[in-house]
Amino acid sequence: MDHSELWHLIETHREGLIAFTQKLIQTPSLSGQEGDVAALIQTEMKRLDYDEIWTDQVGNVIGRIKGEGGPSLMFNGHMDHVDAGDPDRWPHPPFDGIIHGGELWGRGTADMKGALAAMVYAGGIAKKLGTPLPGDRLVAAVVQEEVGGLGSRHLTKTLPVARAVIGEASNNHLRRGHRGRVELIAHFTGRSVHASMPDLGINPHYSLARFLSDLRSLTMASDPAYGISTVAPTRLVSEPDSANITPSAVHLWLDWRNVPGERDEVIVSKLEVLLARSLEPECKGRIEIGSKELSSYTGARMTYPSTFPPFTTPLDHPWLVRVQGALEEVLGRTVQVGTWRFATDGGHLAAAGSTVLGFGPGDDTIVHTTEERLPLDELVESVVGYVVLSLQP
């Protein structure tokens, strides 16, 4: 099939693709509440004649198109989205799926139900081509990416793959990696007393103040492609919660964005050194990586660290080179290779041994905002891109 025939075939599915994407947008699916969207995806995969379709223990929906004996490839997209906030702040209601000016508006359009719908359709279309696929092609609609990646973490243990494509927004250009995220907590413990006699207590705020002052001058790791690691103090909690008592303890949350190659244990060790020299006499402290215990809509529970690993795929990786050339040929334009500024489930898959690339419709600068929307032409183009990716050995 030549390029024009492929474009024509995909255009014949345009109406169905857009309607399916609208239906996904019109079905809210906060993290842990993805069951209704999962049912829609299963139904659409059946209609598109996937070879196998199943829902795993944690609620991920997986569809398989069988291929020959080459490397397996997973198209990975998440079903959950962040809260829409006040609907009155949106130009168009966040869950109405309104099309305006050639764009589909709503929460989850770019992050990432548009990409998920395109992946589902690409799998069905790739099968219809009648061309043997180089290996099995899987479309995984995963749960709880927005709260740490429960779904993809589960897949790394139950369905390992050689390669994966993450559908986060990239305006249909390629992404080859991102910095990671580590959530840390610095604990400072003193001795609480009535605020009228502070000299009798050990107030941990002063040790915290020294820690924060020195944090700004901490030497950070850097990478030519990903820039510098960053750390941001975000949340502060003191106990007991009273304004006329000096606290017995204060807890400071830190958001650390680490470049590829910077290990979690190195980050913790660096902060422990800083904390040790910040502590005033009799004040104690410790650093820990945060953790989460979450339940999926199926009732499965998982406890995991609050981390997204960084990842990077080399610019000269043969698969990346082939994919870029094939996409440029079929799409008829330059396809740039860049990196994401935010973390994705790609880090979990790469840490488990998969080679990971990113490709998805939408503008990543408007995700999580009230301006979230998706150009329909870009949505259709992404299906072309995913089919091209499916055909690459």
Side-chain angles (χ1 to χ4, degrees):
M1 177 176 288
D2 64 27
H3 301 163
S4 61
E5 290 176 322
L6 176 59
W7 273 98
H8 176 72
L9 175 60
I10 290 173
E11 280 291 341
T12 65
H13 288 82
R14 183 185 184 101
E15 185 176 330
L17 167 68
I18 292 171
F20 177 53
T21 309
Q22 284 180 293
K23 195 178 297 183
L24 295 181
I25 299 304
Q26 292 162 353
T27 309
S29 52
L30 289 168
S31 303
Q33 302 173 29
E34 301 96 337
D36 290 342
V37 162
L40 291 173
I41 290 170
Q42 277 194 315
T43 298
E44 202 71 6
M45 285 179 170
K46 290 175 183 176
R47 196 185 67 78
L48 291 166
D49 197 28
Y50 274 63
D51 293 324
E52 296 178 36
I53 306 161
W54 72 97
T55 300
D56 67 15
Q57 178 185 4
V58 301
N60 299 320
V61 179
I62 303 106
R64 186 195 305 270
I65 304 296
K66 293 179 180 177
E68 298 184 333
S72 55
L73 171 63
M74 175 187 289
F75 293 92
N76 182 293
H78 62 85
M79 296 184 284
D80 60 327
H81 57 74
V82 297
D83 183 47
D86 183 357
D88 291 338
R89 295 184 179 274
W90 286 75
H92 306 284
F95 298 112
D96 281 10
I98 288 175
I99 295 172
H100 178 78
E103 296 179 310
L104 175 61
W105 282 77
R107 176 58 81 227
T109 49
D111 186 20
M112 55 176 297
K113 290 180 177 180
L116 192 52
M119 290 173 170
V120 170
Y121 266 71
I125 291 170
K127 183 178 180 180
K128 285 185 178 181
L129 295 178
T131 303
L133 296 173
D136 284 359
R137 297 312 185 233
L138 299 132
V139 175
V142 303
V143 299
Q144 298 197 35
E145 185 273 348
E146 295 288 0
V147 291
L150 184 152
S152 288
R153 288 175 190 265
H154 181 74
L155 287 177
T156 63
K157 299 178 177 66
T158 59
L159 192 64
V161 292
R163 297 171 181 165
V165 174
I166 302 295
E168 297 283 2
S170 66
N171 289 121
N172 289 343
H173 290 277
L174 288 166
R175 298 289 180 262
R176 67 184 186 94
H178 56 63
R179 295 185 304 169
R181 177 182 184 270
V182 185
E183 181 181 290
L184 303 119
I185 310 170
H187 301 279
F188 299 83
T189 305
R191 185 171 67 247
S192 178
V193 295
H194 196 286
S196 66
M197 49 192 82
D199 53 304
L200 300 180
I202 306 297
N203 194 328
H205 275 307
Y206 296 110
S207 296
L208 169 66
R210 295 173 63 176
F211 178 85
L212 283 171
S213 178
D214 289 348
L215 184 67
R216 301 180 71 175
S217 58
L218 196 63
T219 301
M220 305 299 286
S222 63
D223 180 276
Y226 296 90
I228 192 168
S229 292
T230 59
V231 58
T234 55
R235 181 181 178 220
L236 182 62
V237 174
S238 64
E239 55 178 278
D241 183 15
S242 179
N244 64 347
I245 304 173
T246 65
S248 59
V250 291
H251 313 280
L252 174 69
W253 272 256
L254 303 167
D255 184 302
W256 191 295
R257 303 291 168 142
N258 53 320
V259 297
E262 186 180 23
R263 302 189 311 277
D264 294 355
E265 58 267 29
V266 172
I267 296 170
V268 171
S269 178
K270 187 179 292 188
L271 287 172
E272 285 177 338
V273 171
L274 177 62
L275 182 139
R277 68 170 184 255
S278 301
L279 294 176
E280 296 202 335
E282 298 187 67
C283 187
K284 298 178 181 179
R286 62 186 176 90
I287 301 289
E288 69 169 337
I289 293 176
S291 65
K292 292 183 177 179
E293 182 180 1
L294 295 175
S295 177
S296 76
Y297 74 89
T298 63
R301 298 192 68 82
M302 182 184 291
T303 301
Y304 50 81
S306 296
T307 59
F308 275 95
F311 85 92
T312 188
T313 298
L315 274 170
D316 60 354
H317 192 284
W319 181 46
L320 171 55
V321 173
R322 285 198 308 273
V323 161
Q324 183 183 19
L327 287 171
E328 291 186 336
E329 184 178 350
V330 176
L331 300 181
R333 61 170 174 81
T334 299
V335 175
Q336 300 168 354
V337 179
T339 61
W340 279 304
R341 295 184 65 181
F342 50 85
T344 76
D345 271 351
H348 302 309
L349 300 175
S354 300
T355 302
V356 179
L357 294 175
F359 182 89
D363 179 353
D364 66 5
T365 66
I366 60 172
V367 303
H368 295 197
T369 75
T370 58
E371 296 292 321
E372 189 176 359
R373 61 196 186 275
L374 183 63
L376 296 179
D377 287 344
E378 202 168 295
L379 173 65
V380 174
E381 184 189 63
S382 70
V383 180
V384 179
Y386 292 139
V387 173
V388 170
L389 284 160
S390 293
L391 298 174
Q392 299 310 302

